[in-house]
């Protein structure tokens, strides 16, 4: 467990983009009877999902989110110092998709741009990287793009993954602040011994000639989550000297309702403290946390709120952070 603390950095703006194509799991006869579909929706809380068409990639969704963020907040492209693109569904093996996005967004050639291959914990890890850059006075603004089109590697014959995942992209602006900000605390973890629990076996260099398809051991992921996540959040409380009563909201990675409710019960959190977006959008991998924030706050966060951001899953990898959100511009969720 890596425990990290930062000072005088803040999230300034969040923007998200989803495909227009909206699937209703209740209408998908491939799953089984109407009663079976209703039971699935009740257990997972995934009713609708946004599915990208064949030509739309994660970078397209993130490009639209980033463009909207820059426009809505009057940010000049030349003001961005670092671009981080977190995805497990990149456009290419090479070049890094982040560098393609740097050009598409009109960011200067002095921009530091790189990809991060993480999924469920990707947003929290991406924030940690962004905050670490901003501890150096040479950097003032970081654009964190997180997005995935996991639907492209699932199919409706697999009841474990075929009805769970949706597609989305997000953009988050992180800045250094001259105003004294509350400290930000992170806990970051990884365990490759169980990497086979959630895996795309084919399509990369070990099995290059086969079509990629996502495999998930649902019970294994559940056991990992209930054994690791509540304990790690409690350790972060100790590290940050924070009481559970001080937390306004917890924004989980949107795994499924059963898992997230179990974590909340262990942490003694009420349902009003844990907003969900999975009913409308499904599990959107690295974009799920910012999408949940954007779905919860549809305009601007003016008051100071203390939140936990909690990402966990593929890797296995998990991370949490405690930070204050204040004066954060939230763009309307865009559809393309």
């Amino acid at each position: 467990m890596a425990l990290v603390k930062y000072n005088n950095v803040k999230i300034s703006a969040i923007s998200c983009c989803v495909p227009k194509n909206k699937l209703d799991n209740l209408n998908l006869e491939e799953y089984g009877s109407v009663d079976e579909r209703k039971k699935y929706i009740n257990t997972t809380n995934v009713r609708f999902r946004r599915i990208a068409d064949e030509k739309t990639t994660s970078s397209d969704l993130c490009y639209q989110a980033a463009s909207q963020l820059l426009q809505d907040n009057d940010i000049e492209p030349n003001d961005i110092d670092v671009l981080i693109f977190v995805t497990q569904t990149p456009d290419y093996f090479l070049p890094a998709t982040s560098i393609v996005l740097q050009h598409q967004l009109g960011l200067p050639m002095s921009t530091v741009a790189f990809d991060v291959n993480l999924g469920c914990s990707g947003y929290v890890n991406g924030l940690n990287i962004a905050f670490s850059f901003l501890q150096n006075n040479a950097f003032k603004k970081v654009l964190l793009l997180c997005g995935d089109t996991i639907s492209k590697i699932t199919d409706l014959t697999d009841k474990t993954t075929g009805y769970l995942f949706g597609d989305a992209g997000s953009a988050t602006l992180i800045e250094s602040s001259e105003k004294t900000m509350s400290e930000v605390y992170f806990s970051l973890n990884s365990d490759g011994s169980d990497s086979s629990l959630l895996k795309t076996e084919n399509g990369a260099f070990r099995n290059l000639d086969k079509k990629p398809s996502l495999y998930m051991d649902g019970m294994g992921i559940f056991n990992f989550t209930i054994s690791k996540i509540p304990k790690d959040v409690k350790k972060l409380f100790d590290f940050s000297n924070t009481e559970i009563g001080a937390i306004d909201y917890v924004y989980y990675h949107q795994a499924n309702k059963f898992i997230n409710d179990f974590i909340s019960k262990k942490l003694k959190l009420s349902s009003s403290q844990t907003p969900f977006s999975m009913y409308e959008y499904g599990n959107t991998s690295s974009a799920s946390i910012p999408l949940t924030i954007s779905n919860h706050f549809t305009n601007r966060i003016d008051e100071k709120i203390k939140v936990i951001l909690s990402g966990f899953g593929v890797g296995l990898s998990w991370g949490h952070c405690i930070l204050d959100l204040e004066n954060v511009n939230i763009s309307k969720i865009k559809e393309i």
Side-chain angles (χ1 to χ4, degrees):
M1 176 176 59
L3 295 169
V4 190
K5 179 174 70 174
Y6 296 104
N7 295 287
N8 298 334
V9 287
K10 61 169 293 186
I11 293 174
S12 296
I14 298 173
S15 175
C16 293
C17 178
V18 296
K20 286 182 179 179
N21 181 29
K22 185 176 183 177
L23 287 188
D24 185 345
N25 280 343
L26 188 59
N27 295 334
L28 296 177
E29 296 179 357
E30 295 90 341
Y31 191 87
S33 68
V34 173
D35 286 343
E36 286 177 303
R37 285 172 253 158
K38 287 181 178 178
K39 182 178 179 181
Y40 177 85
I41 292 166
N42 185 58
T43 301
T44 62
N45 202 35
V46 177
R47 171 73 186 270
F48 303 100
R49 295 174 295 128
R50 301 304 182 95
I51 305 299
D53 62 31
E54 185 177 333
K55 294 183 178 179
T56 301
T57 68
S58 305
S59 74
D60 295 325
L61 297 171
C62 286
Y63 169 80
Q64 294 292 336
S67 297
Q68 179 166 284
L69 183 149
L70 295 176
Q71 179 180 331
D72 288 353
N73 294 277
D74 296 321
I75 302 294
E76 293 295 328
N78 283 339
D79 292 337
I80 301 299
D81 301 306
V82 182
L83 170 65
I84 304 167
F85 181 48
V86 179
T87 190
Q88 296 202 306
T89 51
D91 287 11
Y92 315 104
F93 280 125
L94 57 91
T97 309
S98 56
I99 299 177
V100 177
L101 283 162
Q102 171 267 328
H103 171 69
Q104 291 175 336
L105 290 166
L107 307 186
M109 287 189 286
S110 58
T111 303
V112 179
F114 56 93
D115 290 9
V116 175
N117 181 7
L118 282 171
C120 314
S121 69
Y123 187 68
V124 175
N125 275 279
L127 283 177
N128 177 67
I129 296 169
F131 287 10
S132 67
F133 268 101
L134 293 170
Q135 295 300 286
N136 187 316
N137 290 332
F139 303 101
K140 301 299 181 185
K141 288 182 172 61
V142 178
L143 189 59
L144 172 63
L145 307 183
C146 295
D148 279 293
T149 49
I150 299 294
S151 72
K152 294 181 183 293
I153 54 173
T154 64
D155 64 72
L156 296 181
T157 64
D158 183 350
K159 289 188 176 182
T160 304
T161 64
Y163 305 83
L164 182 64
F165 290 93
D167 303 327
S170 69
T172 302
L173 180 67
I174 304 105
E175 299 183 82
S176 58
S177 176
E178 295 180 359
K179 177 185 174 183
T180 300
M181 301 293 297
S182 300
E183 292 172 329
V184 179
Y185 300 91
F186 283 85
S187 173
L188 305 167
N189 313 264
S190 56
D191 179 9
S193 67
D194 280 328
S195 60
S196 61
L197 293 178
L198 185 52
K199 191 172 187 179
T200 301
E201 191 77 36
N202 302 321
F205 289 106
R206 286 207 178 273
N207 296 287
L208 191 60
D209 59 341
K210 296 180 181 179
K211 182 180 178 181
S213 180
L214 183 67
Y215 165 79
M216 182 171 71
D217 179 340
M219 185 55 67
I221 292 294
F222 173 74
N223 289 335
F224 145 70
T225 304
I226 65 173
S227 65
K228 294 287 197 300
I229 306 310
K231 290 179 182 177
D232 194 57
V233 172
K234 290 175 181 178
K235 288 178 181 177
L236 186 59
F237 280 139
D238 291 340
F239 175 64
S240 63
N241 195 27
T242 303
E243 298 290 338
I244 188 68
I247 300 299
D248 294 298
Y249 298 106
V250 178
Y251 294 100
Y252 294 119
H253 164 59
Q254 300 291 282
N256 67 55
K257 186 176 187 295
F258 187 73
I259 286 177
N260 291 9
D261 281 351
F262 189 94
I263 299 170
S264 293
K265 185 177 180 180
K266 287 288 185 180
L267 295 174
K268 299 181 180 179
L269 294 166
S270 68
S271 59
S272 63
Q273 291 176 284
T274 56
F276 287 104
S277 65
M278 64 182 74
Y279 186 85
E280 289 291 333
Y281 300 104
N283 179 334
T284 54
S285 190
S286 62
S288 71
I289 293 175
L291 183 61
T292 303
I293 296 172
S294 296
N295 192 58
H296 185 208
F297 290 98
T298 57
N299 186 4
R300 179 180 166 86
I301 302 173
D302 286 314
E303 74 279 16
K304 181 187 289 188
I305 60 172
K306 187 172 289 292
V307 304
I308 297 174
L309 309 181
S310 174
F312 45 87
V314 61
L316 298 174
S317 174
W318 63 103
H320 310 91
C321 70
I322 295 176
L323 75 164
D324 289 341
L325 296 177
E326 182 181 15
N327 298 326
V328 182
N329 290 326
I330 308 294
S331 295
K332 182 180 178 181
I333 296 172
K334 188 173 185 178
E335 297 181 346
I336 63 168

